[in-house]
Amino acid sequence: MENVILTIHLILALLLIGVVLLQRSEGGGLGMGGGGGTMSARGAATALTKLTWIFAAAFIVTSITLTILATRGGEGGSVVDSAATTAPADAPATTAPATGGGLAGTDLTLPGTTTGAGDAPVTPQRADEPVAPATGN
């Protein structure tokens, strides 16, 4: 349902852009240089003006409908709330030790981490396991 309304919304946006670009330019900003036109009470509503109003009203209706559908499908919380609940609360933060400025031969592994063979990713040690002493070169 949401995809159908989104497709209609995008088509309406393109049609609205096309109809606005097809209209005759009045010369000044907001129709002030054209001797009345669509900004006055007596301005004749041309077919392009009527189409513009119809497309604009339909665009607003689809915008509101998409907003309602998006809020109904949500969990009711914000993105910040969901990110805070997924982070483990009891895991301590691991900080990198101060190194010698990136000198050659310096061991850059964090204490409590293990390295795999080859190109395997570095995995942190679990919080409930004891920290093994670091071995030097």
Side-chain angles (χ1 to χ4, degrees):
M1 178 71 179
E2 189 173 347
N3 288 335
V4 173
I5 295 175
L6 183 61
T7 304
I8 293 170
H9 186 70
L10 293 175
I11 291 171
L12 283 172
L14 293 174
L15 289 173
L16 188 60
I17 290 170
V19 169
V20 168
L21 289 176
L22 285 176
Q23 290 181 7
R24 181 174 59 94
S25 174
E26 295 291 331
L30 295 177
M32 292 180 198
T38 59
M39 296 303 285
S40 68
R42 296 182 184 182
T46 63
L48 288 177
T49 305
K50 288 180 183 179
L51 276 177
T52 304
W53 281 104
I54 291 169
F55 289 155
F59 184 82
I60 291 172
V61 167
T62 56
S63 297
I64 292 171
T65 305
L66 285 171
T67 303
I68 291 170
L69 288 176
T71 56
R72 284 187 183 173
E75 296 174 1
S78 71
V79 176
V80 176
D81 294 337
S82 65
T85 58
T86 59
D90 58 339
T94 312
T95 59
T99 61
L103 299 174
T106 305
D107 185 19
L108 297 178
T109 57
L110 296 174
T113 59
T114 58
T115 58
D119 292 333
V122 175
T123 56
Q125 185 176 3
R126 293 180 42 167
D128 56 348
E129 293 177 3
V131 176
T135 58
N137 290 5

